[in-house]
Amino acid sequence: MEHSFGSGQESHLPAKLSAYGKKILLTYGGGSIKKTGLYDKLMDLLKDFEIFELGGIAPNPKIESVNTGAAICKKEGIDVILAVGGGSTIDCSKAIAAAAYYDGDAWDLLLDMSKITKALPIAVVLTIAATGSEMDSVAVISNMRTNEKLPLYSPLILPKVSVLNPENTYTVPPFQTAAGSADIMSHVIENYFDREQAFVPDALNEGLLRAVIKYTPIALKQPSSYEARAQLMWASTLALNGLGSTGKTFAWSCHYIEHELSAFYDITHGAGLAVLTPKWMRHILSEDTVDKFCDYAVNVWGLERGNDKFTLANQGIDATEAFFKSIGLPSTLAEFGIDNTHFELMAKNAVKIGGLRNAYVPLSEKDVVTILQMSL
Ligand code: NZQ
Ligand code: ZN
């Protein structure tokens, strides 16, 4: 795969895309790329290609968009998919790429990934620093009819080309900028709090967290700060491309609980994580985990050792919670209008889908309900 980072890197797209063919399916979200001028810029650059379009891909992309996109690919004989947007557009495009070679409802692939045999090549122009989808082999797709949000994993859906131009994120609204940062931090935290200790990946993880903590407030104050947007974009990409989880079990906790919130209430992924993460931290803090929390407090938040271990660990968690609040993210589920109606079912699903019994601190359905109750 090829990554181009920096201003003006879109100019390499024609050469890179022509390696795959002439027929492009251009995918995008609710229209931000038209407002920002990126759409016109790309249409101009790609005037020698035959372009088909799938717009209107919603945040938390839905299976209906995947089926629509796959039908276009089959009918038109698409050679390559160009996803212009954030995690939602990229994930939808990844699922389309696989569904283009599948006869039947694309949801079958989410339920049984062994049905993925082939995928169209995917190129990406990233417009928001958040998910890391630009450099990973995962797509997360929602089915609102069944209240399911499921991950699709396949090396076949790793983007072949990604254009990472920080200028394309200048227009990301404050709430989405903050939610994107919370998502990056959560990816790193999920990797950091792992049963396996791994010094080099964790040094990287601590550095990525410090970068997001430093640069998010700057990006919020100065949306067109190239420096801030560049650091966040690079952190987004490095957080989930496998470097930070090297030597680790890759058994996550909060993400699967958040995916249940999105599956039932269609909320912004990063904002849900900002609510859950500090509560999960408090729930798992114990004699077994306190030393790791102290490392986190000192190396990420710059707190002083010398305090009682549990005091220091709690100060690190307080700092996490205060940071999310300071960048304008919610700290309770009530702020989304979510009550405890579906907690039991969400807990059951999260434990099953996420394999939470194998997490850093194994989580039962009862633990997940407790974390959700703490989040109310
Ligand atoms: O839809 P448009 O109009 O483009 O507006 C989007 C959308 O409303 C807007 N936006 C994006 N770039 C913009 C912009 N607005 C103005 N200027 C720009 N430059 O931001 C909103 C959110 O976009 P979205 O793509 O939904 O954001 P994000 O990148 O946070 O993606 C979230 C999705 O990715 C999944 C999440 O669960 C969620 O469905 N994830 C994917 C992962 C992966 N593939 O590895 C891992 C993550 O943990 C996550 O689960
Ligand atoms: Zn995430």
Side-chain angles (χ1 to χ4, degrees), residues 273-334:
L273 290 167
V275 174
L276 293 171
T277 301
K279 278 67 171 190
W280 162 77
M281 287 178 158
R282 291 202 202 280
H283 182 69
I284 65 158
L285 177 60
S286 71
E287 202 57 61
D288 290 340
T289 60
V290 69
D291 289 334
K292 188 72 179 173
F293 274 103
C294 287
D295 287 350
Y296 172 74
V298 171
N299 298 337
V300 174
W301 295 102
L303 296 166
E304 297 277 335
R305 279 196 206 273
N307 284 325
D308 161 69
K309 281 202 293 191
F310 278 89
T311 305
L312 178 59
N314 271 306
Q315 285 171 340
I317 301 173
D318 292 344
T320 312
E321 201 157 39
F323 177 75
F324 288 145
K325 216 169 182 180
S326 75
I327 59 173
L329 293 174
S331 46
T332 63
L333 294 179

Side-chain angles (χ1 to χ4, degrees), residues 115-328:
K115 292 197 159 100
I116 303 173
T117 52
K118 212 175 163 186
L120 283 168
I122 301 154
V124 168
V125 178
L126 186 66
T127 66
I128 173 172
T131 63
S133 186
E134 62 275 13
M135 208 199 260
D136 74 20
S137 305
V138 186
V140 190
I141 304 296
S142 294
N143 186 336
M144 299 315 283
R145 277 177 293 121
T146 55
N147 291 124
E148 287 173 286
K149 181 173 184 182
L150 299 179
L152 185 76
Y153 301 96
S154 168
L156 296 169
I157 59 174
L158 179 71
K160 302 272 189 249
V161 173
S162 282
V163 171
L164 308 176
N165 176 355
E167 290 163 0
N168 289 331
T169 66
Y170 287 174
T171 52
V172 178
F175 181 74
Q176 290 296 339
T177 298
S181 289
D183 191 22
I184 301 169
M185 287 176 69
S186 175
H187 298 154
V188 177
I189 287 169
E190 301 263 29
N191 285 337
Y192 187 74
F193 288 93
D194 189 280
R195 290 202 304 274
E196 300 296 331
Q197 298 298 308
F199 191 88
V200 170
D202 277 347
L204 172 77
N205 288 328
E206 288 165 354
L208 288 172
L209 288 170
R210 287 198 301 273
V212 178
I213 292 161
K214 173 169 177 175
Y215 284 103
T216 304
I218 300 175
L220 288 172
K221 250 192 229 122
Q222 303 163 48
S224 303
S225 160
Y226 184 88
E227 170 71 8
R229 294 296 192 180
Q231 301 308 322
L232 292 177
M233 188 172 247
W234 201 214
S236 150
T237 304
L238 290 179
L240 203 48
N241 70 348
L243 282 178
S245 53
T246 310
K248 300 203 165 223
T249 54
F250 206 71
W252 285 13
S253 304
C254 291
H255 262 69
Y256 295 98
I257 308 176
E258 194 298 309
H259 284 175
E260 290 303 311
L261 293 174
S262 296
F264 280 85
Y265 298 100
D266 211 359
I267 67 169
T268 299
H269 173 63
L273 290 167
V275 174
L276 293 171
T277 301
K279 278 67 171 190
W280 162 77
M281 287 178 158
R282 291 202 202 280
H283 182 69
I284 65 158
L285 177 60
S286 71
E287 202 57 61
D288 290 340
T289 60
V290 69
D291 289 334
K292 188 72 179 173
F293 274 103
C294 287
D295 287 350
Y296 172 74
V298 171
N299 298 337
V300 174
W301 295 102
L303 296 166
E304 297 277 335
R305 279 196 206 273
N307 284 325
D308 161 69
K309 281 202 293 191
F310 278 89
T311 305
L312 178 59
N314 271 306
Q315 285 171 340
I317 301 173
D318 292 344
T320 312
E321 201 157 39
F323 177 75
F324 288 145
K325 216 169 182 180
S326 75
I327 59 173

Side-chain angles (χ1 to χ4, degrees), residues 13-34:
L13 273 174
K16 290 186 175 175
L17 291 173
S18 59
Y20 300 103
K22 281 279 168 213
K23 287 189 175 184
I24 296 176
L25 176 64
L26 175 71
T27 55
Y28 52 92
S32 72
I33 70 160
K34 292 202 170 160

Side-chain angles (χ1 to χ4, degrees), residues 95-132:
I96 292 170
Y101 290 103
Y102 179 72
D103 275 333
D105 184 350
W107 191 247
D108 297 347
L109 305 180
L110 276 297
L111 297 175
D112 178 3
M113 292 174 228
S114 70
K115 292 197 159 100
I116 303 173
T117 52
K118 212 175 163 186
L120 283 168
I122 301 154
V124 168
V125 178
L126 186 66
T127 66
I128 173 172
T131 63

